[in-house]
Amino acid sequence: MVTTEHALTSASEGVERRIEELRRRHPVEPAVDEVLSTKLRRRGHDVHTARSVEDISERLHAFLAHRLDGPFTISGLARLPGGASKEQFGFDLEWTENGEPRRDRMVLRMNPPASVVETHRVREFQLLRALEGVLPVPRAYWVTQDHAELGEPAMVCGFARGVAAPTKGEHRASGLGTVYGPKLRAKLAPQFVAHLATLHALDPSTVALDAFGVPAAGTTQGVDWRLGMWDRVWEEDSFEPHPTVTLTRQWLWDNRPPIDRISIVHGDYRNGNFLFDEDTGEITAILDWELSHLGDRHHDLAYAMLGGWGHLDDEGRFLCSGLVDTETFIAEYERISGLSVDPERLRYYTVLNMYWVVVATSASGIRITEDRMTHLDVMMNFLSGLGASSMAELNRVLEGA
């Protein structure tokens, strides 16, 4: 007779064997392996349960008590709307920093049991710290990858003010063909291009990013890690094979280009992932650094140019991320960064970007909803409806590659 304890042990051993097999076939960076392996170990055991503000408050007090020397007060703790992968809570903190009393609005950014993209909070934290004073990013205060402290890996950062999409006149959901209008575009577009150029021109070796794997320039190692990540996620999360995915994976491996220069890649650089002051048109914060990695600058460029983020202007020109026509985008980026843009690499990373969009919409979003491991089950079901159109777009870009 098989006991419950024996059955659980056998199941656990089976999960570990599967993880080892996935590691062997799909090498990824250590931090990426950590979060993907944790997701598989939790599948079938942990489900998302909405925690009370009181519970979050109690844990947050204990978390900060271990990091602050003097007295502090937390007030106004409440859930924040927005975001497609992490739970977020806003709060005010009265505390003392370097002997000076302060009152700051902050954000607790916390993992659910599983996300549409599994990412490492320490990596995001290190990036924000490295880019403070270089780009408009929220200030990163504290981070933990230990589930015991706050219940999930989490980070505390400064609250960034601004809007993600226009609130006056015509507007749409942020990031999905956002319409800014000519006056706002004229102010936002130059900043959007300049910030990306500044990011890619920064030498990663000059900042502290020890949670990131550093690929060797002149090799395909960085591309291999990204492909390994999305291949592994597809195998872990998809419910059935799909011929478009099979063909895409083969094409991507057969055509991967060596990286000529290692850059910090945002990974999700587009409209909707920055905030701006609607009156002045100033970009106040670039957000959502969780998919950042060290790799090829063309990854970000191709992503910002994807059809789903943009629209046509009154003259029939496509506006990348709803902001700037493709020709101007490339010319200004090259001028400011001093880096060249290779059309062949753009085509490659267009396919790679659409591949991960398909993985997210046709596999991961559906899987975490089925497993009840997300706080955004309604949104994930909505995103799954975009799976067919994403697959069709992947077919289109693959035909032109």
Side-chain angles (χ1 to χ4, degrees):
M1 181 177 180
V2 178
T3 64
T4 301
E5 182 178 354
H6 178 72
L8 290 174
T9 300
S10 298
S12 177
E13 291 173 349
V15 170
E16 293 305 317
R17 285 194 297 271
R18 186 181 182 201
I19 289 172
E20 286 303 318
E21 174 64 15
L22 288 165
R23 284 174 176 158
R24 184 185 64 80
R25 289 190 290 110
H26 307 298
V28 295
E29 298 172 69
V32 173
D33 172 71
E34 177 187 332
V35 294
L36 293 182
S37 298
T38 298
K39 177 191 67 175
L40 278 186
R41 293 185 182 111
R42 299 183 70 177
R43 182 172 289 169
H45 301 286
D46 297 349
V47 299
H48 178 265
T49 303
R51 283 176 290 176
S52 67
V53 171
E54 291 74 20
D55 176 59
I56 297 295
S57 178
E58 182 178 339
R59 287 177 176 270
L60 183 58
H61 273 89
F63 175 80
L64 293 177
H66 283 90
R67 289 160 173 82
L68 298 177
D69 294 330
F72 63 91
T73 302
I74 296 172
S75 61
L77 179 66
R79 290 181 180 272
L80 294 177
S85 60
K86 303 296 174 283
E87 292 190 82
Q88 301 188 113
F89 300 82
F91 65 96
D92 292 303
L93 181 67
E94 292 185 54
W95 60 304
T96 301
E97 184 181 34
N98 299 323
E100 296 293 328
R102 298 179 58 97
R103 180 183 177 90
D104 293 295
R105 183 69 176 162
M106 296 189 180
V107 174
L108 172 64
R109 184 167 162 81
M110 183 182 303
N111 289 14
S115 298
V116 67
V117 288
E118 292 298 328
T119 54
H120 203 286
R121 296 287 62 73
V122 174
R123 284 164 67 105
E124 187 176 18
F125 179 83
Q126 287 185 353
L127 239 306
L128 291 179
R129 278 285 177 93
L131 295 173
E132 186 174 352
V134 179
L135 293 176
V137 295
R139 182 180 175 188
Y141 288 97
W142 306 284
V143 67
T144 180
Q145 196 64 22
D146 185 355
H147 290 66
E149 290 198 273
L150 288 162
E152 295 287 349
M155 174 179 68
V156 175
C157 61
F159 182 86
R161 303 194 180 278
V163 296
T167 62
K168 305 168 185 175
E170 183 182 1
H171 61 278
R172 303 180 191 175
S174 64
L176 298 174
T178 307
V179 177
Y180 295 100
K183 291 183 179 179
L184 205 46
R185 283 203 309 266
K187 297 176 180 178
L188 293 174
Q191 300 172 73
F192 182 77
V193 179
H195 290 327
L196 186 60
T198 299
L199 175 68
H200 292 167
L202 179 66
D203 181 354
S205 68
T206 63
V207 292
L209 298 173
D210 59 16
F212 291 75
V214 183
T219 75
T220 65
Q221 186 177 33
V223 188
D224 295 349
W225 286 341
R226 299 318 285 178
L227 280 177
M229 173 181 173
W230 296 121
D231 286 354
R232 177 169 167 176
V233 173
W234 175 261
E235 289 199 26
E236 291 173 353
D237 292 353
S238 62
F239 287 87
E240 60 185 8
H242 196 288
T244 294
V245 171
T246 302
L247 179 62
T248 300
R249 289 168 65 167
Q250 187 61 55
W251 186 91
L252 286 167
W253 280 101
D254 288 346
N255 292 278
R256 62 198 194 281
I259 301 176
D260 62 341
R261 182 188 188 279
I262 304 301
S263 295
I264 298 174
V265 176
H266 181 283
D268 199 3
Y269 195 82
R270 58 172 174 85
N271 47 345
N273 278 346
F274 65 83
L275 302 180
F276 61 94
D277 183 298
E278 202 163 3
D279 294 324
T280 66
E282 178 187 1
I283 291 180
T284 56
I286 301 169
L287 307 176
D288 290 347
W289 292 86
E290 61 184 337
L291 282 167
S292 296
H293 59 279
L294 302 184
D296 193 317
R297 61 191 178 277
H298 293 83
H299 194 294
D300 277 338
L301 290 163
Y303 190 74
M305 297 178 184
L306 289 181
W309 309 135
H311 62 85
L312 301 180
D313 67 7
D314 293 339
E315 299 176 15
R317 300 175 303 174
F318 177 74
L319 298 177
C320 304
S321 290
L323 288 168
V324 56
D325 66 273
T326 303
E327 183 178 348
T328 302
F329 186 20
I330 293 175
E332 283 299 289
Y333 172 87
E334 290 185 323
R335 182 184 67 82
I336 298 168
S337 68
L339 302 171
S340 62
V341 176
D342 177 6
E344 290 299 319
R345 291 172 188 267
L346 277 181
R347 279 190 283 272
Y348 180 87
Y349 282 98
T350 298
V351 177
L352 177 56
N353 279 313
M354 281 308 307
Y355 174 38
W356 90 253
V357 169
V358 162
V359 171
T361 56
S362 297
S364 298
I366 304 171
R367 175 66 70 178
I368 64 174
T369 302
E370 171 73 14
D371 293 340
R372 297 187 298 147
M373 296 179 75
T374 176
H375 60 303
L376 295 172
D377 50 352
V378 174
M379 177 181 282
M380 291 303 107
N381 278 317
F382 167 75
L383 288 179
S384 71
L386 299 177
S389 61
S390 298
M391 200 75 76
E393 179 66 7
L394 177 55
N395 276 321
R396 189 191 68 79
V397 299
L398 191 59
E399 287 176 3

